[in-house]
Amino acid sequence: MAKPILTIKNLTKKYGENAVFHNIDLTVNEGDTIVIIGPSGTGKSTLLRCVNLLTYANEGQIWLDDMEITAKECDEDRVRQHIGMVFQNFLLFNHLTALDNVMLGLTKVKRMKADAAKEKAMHELNRVGLADRADHYPGQLSGGQQQRVAIARALAMDPRIMLFDEPTSALDPELIGEVLEVMRKLALEGMTMLVVTHEMGFAREVADRIVFLEKGSIVEQGSPDELFYHPKNERTREFLWKITELYGKKEEGK
Amino acid sequence: MDWLKLFQRFLPDFIKGAGVTLELTAVGLVIGFVLGLVLALARSYGPKWLKAIAIGYIELFRGTPLLVQLFLIYYGLPSVGITLSQTISAYLALGLNSAAYQAEYFRGSIQAIGSSQMTAGRAIGLSRWKTIWYVILPQALRLVIPAWSNEPISLLKTTAVVFLIAVQDLMAKAKRAATATYDPIGSYLAVAVVYLVMVFILNWGLKYLERKTVIPGFEMESKKA
């Protein structure tokens, strides 16, 4: 019954001679939340950017549902409509209010009428708990609020899958919770998500599968329990131990 | 001759000339704005050959005196069969010249808005040109205002060169007053005052524009960006 939404086969990305990652195979099934973890510089972000065609892989294929999006004749603007992306630095349109940020894709890409687009946009802002901030400009919102608007903006396009590229890494500690809460809710609602994060609490609680990426290849993947309590690979154990220590005791006792 | 009397005597003439000067400034600015924006976009986002053309244009018009450009258009073009009136020649020279400078202002602010906003636009499925139109330009055109404000003011004063092809602008009127009164100091000082007043008003208008277009929450752009 598990239907693959995203299928990555044998994907390799190089900058010149240096491979950012190589021969990545990854499948994301409908409704799954997959969390990618790993040290910085191992190609996690680049992998997400490849999936969204913001950069191009050198080898391998990616399918969204049954469509090969790495194919030459593929219309990348169409593909991106179906893939929501949330960035580390929010990347809201600073000259537009929260509402207009969410509406822009609806009116200019989906060509919805203004009132229908507004209704849809308000619905999405409501989903992230920011309906009362609709008239605020990004510069008037906190980081956490900005990131939630960015999530609403991506959700408004009714994507098949949501990509999160370290969505809480640029946030003050006390603002991280509200963003994770929204993501947790999305996962429960059955949204298909591919998340790069260092938030181990979120990974352990929400992920259906955790993928440990290091030096450009997948070292190990499995359920949170498998990875956290019975890692097969020594590197996985070391990394998780390090990062859990770094992020403190709150991760324990579960 | 008493300076004030000279001023009073020639004031109607000066006002007429000032009108011409303002027209020249406005037309030059508009031509320069449209062409400058096209050049900046071509240089920032165009294919290689278009970039090369834009760069060539900008370097050519910034690298040669406006007066040379004006004379080439007014005296030079007739020899290849294009004869333009004095006014049209003046409009064209000022506009083409201003475009090169405005293009560089625009390019600077487009770069400052940066590729990350392009990424954000593309990520929700906007095409490249739609992202430029709906995301990059609205921000770049706001950001550019403080620096760009130099251009209308500089252009207003630069228009003075057109009296050399006998366009009846403020400078031409000053020359006439000087000849009529044998008082060059009084005459040129008088028009200097008129220029100063125009620049002052223009400056005030530009400051107003800057305040009006600021993005809420980004009042201190430089600190937040």
Side-chain angles (χ1 to χ4, degrees), chain B residues 172-215:
Chain B
K173 302 297 184 192
K175 192 150 193 301
R176 232 175 70 167
T179 317
T181 58
Y182 303 106
D183 180 5
I185 294 185
S187 305
Y188 292 122
L189 271 180
V191 298
V193 170
V194 181
Y195 275 113
L196 203 60
V197 169
M198 288 197 289
V199 166
F200 183 79
I201 295 171
L202 190 59
N203 209 356
W204 183 83
L206 288 164
K207 284 278 177 291
Y208 178 78
L209 179 72
E210 192 180 325
R211 272 203 313 276
K212 275 283 146 189
T213 54
V214 79
I215 298 170

mmCIF file of all heavy atoms in Angstrom, chain B residues 172-215:
data_model
loop_
_atom_site.group_PDB
_atom_site.id
_atom_site.type_symbol
_atom_site.label_atom_id
_atom_site.label_comp_id
_atom_site.label_asym_id
_atom_site.label_seq_id
_atom_site.Cartn_x
_atom_site.Cartn_y
_atom_site.Cartn_z
ATOM 1 N N ALA B 172 20.743 78.907 -21.667
ATOM 2 C CA ALA B 172 20.680 79.771 -22.845
ATOM 3 C C ALA B 172 20.132 81.142 -22.473
ATOM 4 O O ALA B 172 20.589 82.176 -22.963
ATOM 5 C CB ALA B 172 19.814 79.104 -23.924
ATOM 6 N N LYS B 173 19.142 81.132 -21.593
ATOM 7 C CA LYS B 173 18.554 82.400 -21.133
ATOM 8 C C LYS B 173 19.586 83.217 -20.362
ATOM 9 O O LYS B 173 19.639 84.446 -20.467
ATOM 10 C CB LYS B 173 17.342 82.141 -20.222
ATOM 11 C CG LYS B 173 16.235 81.318 -20.865
ATOM 12 C CD LYS B 173 15.622 82.014 -22.054
ATOM 13 C CE LYS B 173 14.454 81.200 -22.587
ATOM 14 N NZ LYS B 173 14.003 81.677 -23.906
ATOM 15 N N ALA B 174 20.400 82.546 -19.591
ATOM 16 C CA ALA B 174 21.426 83.235 -18.823
ATOM 17 C C ALA B 174 22.414 83.916 -19.762
ATOM 18 O O ALA B 174 22.813 85.064 -19.549
ATOM 19 C CB ALA B 174 22.152 82.243 -17.925
ATOM 20 N N LYS B 175 22.755 83.177 -20.797
ATOM 21 C CA LYS B 175 23.706 83.733 -21.766
ATOM 22 C C LYS B 175 23.116 84.974 -22.423
ATOM 23 O O LYS B 175 23.801 85.984 -22.623
ATOM 24 C CB LYS B 175 24.037 82.676 -22.820
ATOM 25 C CG LYS B 175 25.217 83.061 -23.688
ATOM 26 C CD LYS B 175 25.968 81.818 -24.157
ATOM 27 C CE LYS B 175 27.330 82.181 -24.751
ATOM 28 N NZ LYS B 175 27.272 83.074 -25.891
ATOM 29 N N ARG B 176 21.823 84.888 -22.730
ATOM 30 C CA ARG B 176 21.142 86.022 -23.351
ATOM 31 C C ARG B 176 21.122 87.231 -22.421
ATOM 32 O O ARG B 176 21.402 88.354 -22.825
ATOM 33 C CB ARG B 176 19.713 85.632 -23.727
ATOM 34 C CG ARG B 176 19.418 85.962 -25.179
ATOM 35 C CD ARG B 176 18.070 85.473 -25.577
ATOM 36 N NE ARG B 176 17.007 86.244 -24.919
ATOM 37 C CZ ARG B 176 15.732 86.188 -25.283
ATOM 38 N NH1 ARG B 176 15.362 85.406 -26.287
ATOM 39 N NH2 ARG B 176 14.829 86.887 -24.669
ATOM 40 N N ALA B 177 20.814 86.962 -21.169
ATOM 41 C CA ALA B 177 20.786 88.057 -20.186
ATOM 42 C C ALA B 177 22.166 88.677 -20.047
ATOM 43 O O ALA B 177 22.310 89.912 -19.978
ATOM 44 C CB ALA B 177 20.292 87.526 -18.848
ATOM 45 N N ALA B 178 23.177 87.831 -20.063
ATOM 46 C CA ALA B 178 24.550 88.326 -19.916
ATOM 47 C C ALA B 178 24.926 89.224 -21.091
ATOM 48 O O ALA B 178 25.555 90.270 -20.913
ATOM 49 C CB ALA B 178 25.510 87.149 -19.813
ATOM 50 N N THR B 179 24.513 88.817 -22.293
ATOM 51 C CA THR B 179 24.820 89.605 -23.483
ATOM 52 C C THR B 179 24.062 90.926 -23.470
ATOM 53 O O THR B 179 24.613 91.975 -23.823
ATOM 54 C CB THR B 179 24.439 88.819 -24.754
ATOM 55 O OG1 THR B 179 24.862 87.473 -24.602
ATOM 56 C CG2 THR B 179 25.086 89.422 -25.986
ATOM 57 N N ALA B 180 22.815 90.853 -23.035
ATOM 58 C CA ALA B 180 21.973 92.052 -23.053
ATOM 59 C C ALA B 180 22.412 93.080 -22.018
ATOM 60 O O ALA B 180 22.315 94.284 -22.249
ATOM 61 C CB ALA B 180 20.513 91.665 -22.832
ATOM 62 N N THR B 181 22.884 92.612 -20.888
ATOM 63 C CA THR B 181 23.169 93.538 -19.779
ATOM 64 C C THR B 181 24.647 93.798 -19.581
ATOM 65 O O THR B 181 25.015 94.643 -18.767
ATOM 66 C CB THR B 181 22.632 92.969 -18.454
ATOM 67 O OG1 THR B 181 23.252 91.696 -18.240
ATOM 68 C CG2 THR B 181 21.120 92.788 -18.501
ATOM 69 N N TYR B 182 25.499 93.118 -20.314
ATOM 70 C CA TYR B 182 26.943 93.163 -20.080
ATOM 71 C C TYR B 182 27.268 92.865 -18.620
ATOM 72 O O TYR B 182 28.192 93.442 -18.051
ATOM 73 C CB TYR B 182 27.525 94.525 -20.476
ATOM 74 C CG TYR B 182 27.235 94.881 -21.908
ATOM 75 C CD1 TYR B 182 26.283 95.833 -22.231
ATOM 76 C CD2 TYR B 182 27.925 94.226 -22.929
ATOM 77 C CE1 TYR B 182 26.012 96.145 -23.551
ATOM 78 C CE2 TYR B 182 27.655 94.535 -24.257
ATOM 79 C CZ TYR B 182 26.699 95.491 -24.561
ATOM 80 O OH TYR B 182 26.426 95.770 -25.850
ATOM 81 N N ASP B 183 26.477 92.023 -17.995
ATOM 82 C CA ASP B 183 26.716 91.693 -16.584
ATOM 83 C C ASP B 183 26.736 90.176 -16.421
ATOM 84 O O ASP B 183 25.784 89.582 -15.926
ATOM 85 C CB ASP B 183 25.613 92.313 -15.709
ATOM 86 C CG ASP B 183 25.832 92.000 -14.228
ATOM 87 O OD1 ASP B 183 26.867 91.395 -13.881
ATOM 88 O OD2 ASP B 183 24.942 92.357 -13.429
ATOM 89 N N PRO B 184 27.815 89.537 -16.847
ATOM 90 C CA PRO B 184 27.852 88.059 -16.766
ATOM 91 C C PRO B 184 27.737 87.564 -15.335
ATOM 92 O O PRO B 184 27.045 86.590 -15.082
ATOM 93 C CB PRO B 184 29.200 87.693 -17.382
ATOM 94 C CG PRO B 184 30.007 88.944 -17.396
ATOM 95 C CD PRO B 184 29.049 90.097 -17.426
ATOM 96 N N ILE B 185 28.401 88.256 -14.405
ATOM 97 C CA ILE B 185 28.358 87.762 -13.028
ATOM 98 C C ILE B 185 26.923 87.766 -12.528
ATOM 99 O O ILE B 185 26.412 86.752 -12.029
ATOM 100 C CB ILE B 185 29.241 88.626 -12.096
ATOM 101 C CG1 ILE B 185 30.709 88.451 -12.499
ATOM 102 C CG2 ILE B 185 29.037 88.207 -10.639
ATOM 103 C CD1 ILE B 185 31.678 89.151 -11.581
ATOM 104 N N GLY B 186 26.248 88.881 -12.694
ATOM 105 C CA GLY B 186 24.859 88.988 -12.238
ATOM 106 C C GLY B 186 23.976 87.966 -12.922
ATOM 107 O O GLY B 186 23.191 87.268 -12.274
ATOM 108 N N SER B 187 24.114 87.811 -14.220
ATOM 109 C CA SER B 187 23.243 86.906 -14.981
ATOM 110 C C SER B 187 23.439 85.451 -14.554
ATOM 111 O O SER B 187 22.483 84.730 -14.270
ATOM 112 C CB SER B 187 23.544 87.020 -16.469
ATOM 113 O OG SER B 187 23.443 88.353 -16.884
ATOM 114 N N TYR B 188 24.692 85.042 -14.518
ATOM 115 C CA TYR B 188 24.935 83.618 -14.200
ATOM 116 C C TYR B 188 24.634 83.327 -12.736
ATOM 117 O O TYR B 188 24.169 82.236 -12.400
ATOM 118 C CB TYR B 188 26.357 83.220 -14.589
ATOM 119 C CG TYR B 188 26.547 83.224 -16.089
ATOM 120 C CD1 TYR B 188 27.512 84.010 -16.710
ATOM 121 C CD2 TYR B 188 25.714 82.442 -16.907
ATOM 122 C CE1 TYR B 188 27.650 84.023 -18.096
ATOM 123 C CE2 TYR B 188 25.846 82.456 -18.284
ATOM 124 C CZ TYR B 188 26.815 83.246 -18.877
ATOM 125 O OH TYR B 188 26.941 83.262 -20.231
ATOM 126 N N LEU B 189 24.889 84.313 -11.864
ATOM 127 C CA LEU B 189 24.510 84.110 -10.464
ATOM 128 C C LEU B 189 22.999 83.957 -10.349
ATOM 129 O O LEU B 189 22.494 83.118 -9.601
ATOM 130 C CB LEU B 189 24.971 85.290 -9.602
ATOM 131 C CG LEU B 189 26.373 85.175 -9.016
ATOM 132 C CD1 LEU B 189 26.704 86.414 -8.185
ATOM 133 C CD2 LEU B 189 26.498 83.913 -8.159
ATOM 134 N N ALA B 190 22.281 84.768 -11.131
ATOM 135 C CA ALA B 190 20.820 84.702 -11.092
ATOM 136 C C ALA B 190 20.320 83.309 -11.474
ATOM 137 O O ALA B 190 19.487 82.724 -10.773
ATOM 138 C CB ALA B 190 20.217 85.752 -12.017
ATOM 139 N N VAL B 191 20.833 82.746 -12.580
ATOM 140 C CA VAL B 191 20.360 81.412 -12.951
ATOM 141 C C VAL B 191 20.887 80.341 -12.001
ATOM 142 O O VAL B 191 20.230 79.324 -11.788
ATOM 143 C CB VAL B 191 20.683 81.018 -14.399
ATOM 144 C CG1 VAL B 191 20.007 81.937 -15.374
ATOM 145 C CG2 VAL B 191 22.159 80.920 -14.631
ATOM 146 N N ALA B 192 22.059 80.608 -11.420
ATOM 147 C CA ALA B 192 22.558 79.647 -10.419
ATOM 148 C C ALA B 192 21.534 79.507 -9.305
ATOM 149 O O ALA B 192 21.253 78.398 -8.825
ATOM 150 C CB ALA B 192 23.901 80.111 -9.859
ATOM 151 N N VAL B 193 20.963 80.644 -8.910
ATOM 152 C CA VAL B 193 19.930 80.605 -7.867
ATOM 153 C C VAL B 193 18.723 79.792 -8.333
ATOM 154 O O VAL B 193 18.188 78.972 -7.587
ATOM 155 C CB VAL B 193 19.502 82.038 -7.466
ATOM 156 C CG1 VAL B 193 18.271 81.989 -6.575
ATOM 157 C CG2 VAL B 193 20.643 82.751 -6.766
ATOM 158 N N VAL B 194 18.321 80.014 -9.592
ATOM 159 C CA VAL B 194 17.164 79.259 -10.106
ATOM 160 C C VAL B 194 17.454 77.752 -10.107
ATOM 161 O O VAL B 194 16.632 76.948 -9.678
ATOM 162 C CB VAL B 194 16.772 79.733 -11.524
ATOM 163 C CG1 VAL B 194 15.560 78.948 -12.019
ATOM 164 C CG2 VAL B 194 16.466 81.223 -11.520
ATOM 165 N N TYR B 195 18.660 77.377 -10.571
ATOM 166 C CA TYR B 195 19.043 75.952 -10.534
ATOM 167 C C TYR B 195 18.976 75.412 -9.111
ATOM 168 O O TYR B 195 18.462 74.326 -8.847
ATOM 169 C CB TYR B 195 20.461 75.765 -11.086
ATOM 170 C CG TYR B 195 20.552 75.630 -12.587
ATOM 171 C CD1 TYR B 195 21.159 76.603 -13.365
ATOM 172 C CD2 TYR B 195 20.031 74.506 -13.237
ATOM 173 C CE1 TYR B 195 21.248 76.480 -14.750
ATOM 174 C CE2 TYR B 195 20.118 74.372 -14.619
ATOM 175 C CZ TYR B 195 20.722 75.361 -15.368
ATOM 176 O OH TYR B 195 20.795 75.235 -16.723
ATOM 177 N N LEU B 196 19.517 76.218 -8.194
ATOM 178 C CA LEU B 196 19.584 75.782 -6.801
ATOM 179 C C LEU B 196 18.186 75.523 -6.241
ATOM 180 O O LEU B 196 17.956 74.516 -5.568
ATOM 181 C CB LEU B 196 20.292 76.872 -5.979
ATOM 182 C CG LEU B 196 20.946 76.423 -4.680
ATOM 183 C CD1 LEU B 196 22.000 75.370 -4.945
ATOM 184 C CD2 LEU B 196 21.572 77.626 -3.971
ATOM 185 N N VAL B 197 17.263 76.441 -6.558
ATOM 186 C CA VAL B 197 15.896 76.271 -6.077
ATOM 187 C C VAL B 197 15.277 74.988 -6.653
ATOM 188 O O VAL B 197 14.643 74.200 -5.947
ATOM 189 C CB VAL B 197 15.028 77.501 -6.447
ATOM 190 C CG1 VAL B 197 13.554 77.215 -6.183
ATOM 191 C CG2 VAL B 197 15.487 78.715 -5.658
ATOM 192 N N MET B 198 15.505 74.752 -7.947
ATOM 193 C CA MET B 198 14.950 73.541 -8.569
ATOM 194 C C MET B 198 15.516 72.280 -7.926
ATOM 195 O O MET B 198 14.794 71.329 -7.647
ATOM 196 C CB MET B 198 15.231 73.552 -10.078
ATOM 197 C CG MET B 198 14.399 74.573 -10.843
ATOM 198 S SD MET B 198 14.361 74.260 -12.627
ATOM 199 C CE MET B 198 16.013 74.697 -13.081
ATOM 200 N N VAL B 199 16.830 72.285 -7.724
ATOM 201 C CA VAL B 199 17.472 71.121 -7.110
ATOM 202 C C VAL B 199 16.923 70.889 -5.702
ATOM 203 O O VAL B 199 16.638 69.759 -5.300
ATOM 204 C CB VAL B 199 19.008 71.296 -7.067
ATOM 205 C CG1 VAL B 199 19.647 70.258 -6.140
ATOM 206 C CG2 VAL B 199 19.591 71.170 -8.460
ATOM 207 N N PHE B 200 16.730 71.999 -5.001
ATOM 208 C CA PHE B 200 16.220 71.895 -3.636
ATOM 209 C C PHE B 200 14.847 71.227 -3.616
ATOM 210 O O PHE B 200 14.590 70.308 -2.837
ATOM 211 C CB PHE B 200 16.146 73.293 -3.014
ATOM 212 C CG PHE B 200 15.708 73.284 -1.580
ATOM 213 C CD1 PHE B 200 16.608 72.970 -0.576
ATOM 214 C CD2 PHE B 200 14.391 73.553 -1.240
ATOM 215 C CE1 PHE B 200 16.203 72.932 0.746
ATOM 216 C CE2 PHE B 200 13.972 73.520 0.073
ATOM 217 C CZ PHE B 200 14.883 73.205 1.071
ATOM 218 N N ILE B 201 13.973 71.688 -4.502
ATOM 219 C CA ILE B 201 12.620 71.127 -4.553
ATOM 220 C C ILE B 201 12.665 69.650 -4.973
ATOM 221 O O ILE B 201 12.009 68.795 -4.390
ATOM 222 C CB ILE B 201 11.734 71.934 -5.529
ATOM 223 C CG1 ILE B 201 11.545 73.353 -4.979
ATOM 224 C CG2 ILE B 201 10.383 71.255 -5.737
ATOM 225 C CD1 ILE B 201 10.883 74.307 -5.953
ATOM 226 N N LEU B 202 13.488 69.382 -5.972
ATOM 227 C CA LEU B 202 13.619 68.011 -6.465
ATOM 228 C C LEU B 202 14.117 67.085 -5.351
ATOM 229 O O LEU B 202 13.596 65.985 -5.139
ATOM 230 C CB LEU B 202 14.605 68.001 -7.637
ATOM 231 C CG LEU B 202 14.719 66.725 -8.473
ATOM 232 C CD1 LEU B 202 13.381 66.372 -9.092
ATOM 233 C CD2 LEU B 202 15.766 66.917 -9.574
ATOM 234 N N ASN B 203 15.100 67.564 -4.619
ATOM 235 C CA ASN B 203 15.675 66.795 -3.529
ATOM 236 C C ASN B 203 14.620 66.463 -2.478
ATOM 237 O O ASN B 203 14.526 65.339 -1.984
ATOM 238 C CB ASN B 203 16.791 67.619 -2.893
ATOM 239 C CG ASN B 203 17.855 66.734 -2.304
ATOM 240 O OD1 ASN B 203 17.724 65.514 -2.313
ATOM 241 N ND2 ASN B 203 18.908 67.338 -1.784
ATOM 242 N N TRP B 204 13.808 67.471 -2.193
ATOM 243 C CA TRP B 204 12.743 67.290 -1.212
ATOM 244 C C TRP B 204 11.763 66.213 -1.687
ATOM 245 O O TRP B 204 11.345 65.335 -0.932
ATOM 246 C CB TRP B 204 12.033 68.631 -1.001
ATOM 247 C CG TRP B 204 10.980 68.589 0.023
ATOM 248 C CD1 TRP B 204 11.122 68.701 1.367
ATOM 249 C CD2 TRP B 204 9.580 68.413 -0.228
ATOM 250 N NE1 TRP B 204 9.903 68.586 1.981
ATOM 251 C CE2 TRP B 204 8.937 68.421 1.026
ATOM 252 C CE3 TRP B 204 8.820 68.251 -1.394
ATOM 253 C CZ2 TRP B 204 7.558 68.262 1.147
ATOM 254 C CZ3 TRP B 204 7.444 68.100 -1.273
ATOM 255 C CH2 TRP B 204 6.835 68.116 -0.010
ATOM 256 N N GLY B 205 11.426 66.277 -2.973
ATOM 257 C CA GLY B 205 10.515 65.286 -3.557
ATOM 258 C C GLY B 205 11.094 63.876 -3.481
ATOM 259 O O GLY B 205 10.395 62.909 -3.176
ATOM 260 N N LEU B 206 12.402 63.765 -3.732
ATOM 261 C CA LEU B 206 13.033 62.453 -3.713
ATOM 262 C C LEU B 206 13.077 61.873 -2.303
ATOM 263 O O LEU B 206 12.876 60.675 -2.106
ATOM 264 C CB LEU B 206 14.453 62.550 -4.288
ATOM 265 C CG LEU B 206 14.510 62.763 -5.806
ATOM 266 C CD1 LEU B 206 15.893 63.227 -6.233
ATOM 267 C CD2 LEU B 206 14.122 61.493 -6.542
ATOM 268 N N LYS B 207 13.324 62.737 -1.334
ATOM 269 C CA LYS B 207 13.327 62.280 0.058
ATOM 270 C C LYS B 207 11.940 61.761 0.442
ATOM 271 O O LYS B 207 11.802 60.768 1.156
ATOM 272 C CB LYS B 207 13.729 63.421 0.991
ATOM 273 C CG LYS B 207 15.211 63.720 0.977
ATOM 274 C CD LYS B 207 15.967 62.756 1.877
ATOM 275 C CE LYS B 207 17.473 62.987 1.812
ATOM 276 N NZ LYS B 207 18.067 62.616 0.516
ATOM 277 N N TYR B 208 10.932 62.475 -0.059
ATOM 278 C CA TYR B 208 9.554 62.073 0.209
ATOM 279 C C TYR B 208 9.289 60.688 -0.394
ATOM 280 O O TYR B 208 8.732 59.801 0.261
ATOM 281 C CB TYR B 208 8.598 63.115 -0.389
ATOM 282 C CG TYR B 208 7.137 62.783 -0.210
ATOM 283 C CD1 TYR B 208 6.509 63.004 1.013
ATOM 284 C CD2 TYR B 208 6.391 62.260 -1.254
ATOM 285 C CE1 TYR B 208 5.175 62.696 1.190
ATOM 286 C CE2 TYR B 208 5.054 61.945 -1.089
ATOM 287 C CZ TYR B 208 4.445 62.170 0.128
ATOM 288 O OH TYR B 208 3.120 61.859 0.293
ATOM 289 N N LEU B 209 9.724 60.521 -1.632
ATOM 290 C CA LEU B 209 9.565 59.231 -2.319
ATOM 291 C C LEU B 209 10.240 58.112 -1.531
ATOM 292 O O LEU B 209 9.685 57.022 -1.350
ATOM 293 C CB LEU B 209 10.177 59.331 -3.721
ATOM 294 C CG LEU B 209 10.131 58.082 -4.598
ATOM 295 C CD1 LEU B 209 8.706 57.817 -5.075
ATOM 296 C CD2 LEU B 209 11.055 58.232 -5.811
ATOM 297 N N GLU B 210 11.433 58.408 -1.022
ATOM 298 C CA GLU B 210 12.189 57.410 -0.264
ATOM 299 C C GLU B 210 11.416 56.987 0.985
ATOM 300 O O GLU B 210 11.324 55.805 1.307
ATOM 301 C CB GLU B 210 13.539 58.014 0.110
ATOM 302 C CG GLU B 210 14.526 57.004 0.638
ATOM 303 C CD GLU B 210 15.858 57.657 0.984
ATOM 304 O OE1 GLU B 210 16.272 58.605 0.290
ATOM 305 O OE2 GLU B 210 16.463 57.207 1.964
ATOM 306 N N ARG B 211 10.841 57.988 1.668
ATOM 307 C CA ARG B 211 10.082 57.672 2.880
ATOM 308 C C ARG B 211 8.834 56.864 2.562
ATOM 309 O O ARG B 211 8.471 55.941 3.272
ATOM 310 C CB ARG B 211 9.678 58.969 3.587
ATOM 311 C CG ARG B 211 10.699 59.489 4.564
ATOM 312 C CD ARG B 211 10.048 60.390 5.600
ATOM 313 N NE ARG B 211 9.161 61.374 4.999
ATOM 314 C CZ ARG B 211 9.551 62.548 4.497
ATOM 315 N NH1 ARG B 211 10.819 62.859 4.505
ATOM 316 N NH2 ARG B 211 8.674 63.387 3.990
ATOM 317 N N LYS B 212 8.180 57.245 1.451
ATOM 318 C CA LYS B 212 6.894 56.619 1.094
ATOM 319 C C LYS B 212 7.041 55.159 0.694
ATOM 320 O O LYS B 212 6.120 54.372 0.819
ATOM 321 C CB LYS B 212 6.238 57.387 -0.066
ATOM 322 C CG LYS B 212 5.425 58.580 0.372
ATOM 323 C CD LYS B 212 4.077 58.133 0.926
ATOM 324 C CE LYS B 212 3.661 59.056 2.038
ATOM 325 N NZ LYS B 212 2.504 58.617 2.791
ATOM 326 N N THR B 213 8.198 54.808 0.141
ATOM 327 C CA THR B 213 8.333 53.475 -0.440
ATOM 328 C C THR B 213 9.056 52.499 0.481
ATOM 329 O O THR B 213 9.304 51.374 0.101
ATOM 330 C CB THR B 213 9.112 53.532 -1.769
ATOM 331 O OG1 THR B 213 10.349 54.202 -1.540
ATOM 332 C CG2 THR B 213 8.313 54.260 -2.832
ATOM 333 N N VAL B 214 9.387 52.950 1.685
ATOM 334 C CA VAL B 214 10.133 52.056 2.565
ATOM 335 C C VAL B 214 9.264 50.847 2.936
ATOM 336 O O VAL B 214 8.044 50.960 3.074
ATOM 337 C CB VAL B 214 10.605 52.821 3.829
ATOM 338 C CG1 VAL B 214 9.502 52.967 4.830
ATOM 339 C CG2 VAL B 214 11.810 52.139 4.439
ATOM 340 N N ILE B 215 9.878 49.671 3.003
ATOM 341 C CA ILE B 215 9.140 48.457 3.333
ATOM 342 C C ILE B 215 8.944 48.384 4.838
ATOM 343 O O ILE B 215 9.922 48.479 5.590
ATOM 344 C CB ILE B 215 9.894 47.201 2.845
ATOM 345 C CG1 ILE B 215 10.024 47.238 1.326
ATOM 346 C CG2 ILE B 215 9.193 45.926 3.294
ATOM 347 C CD1 ILE B 215 10.950 46.173 0.770
#
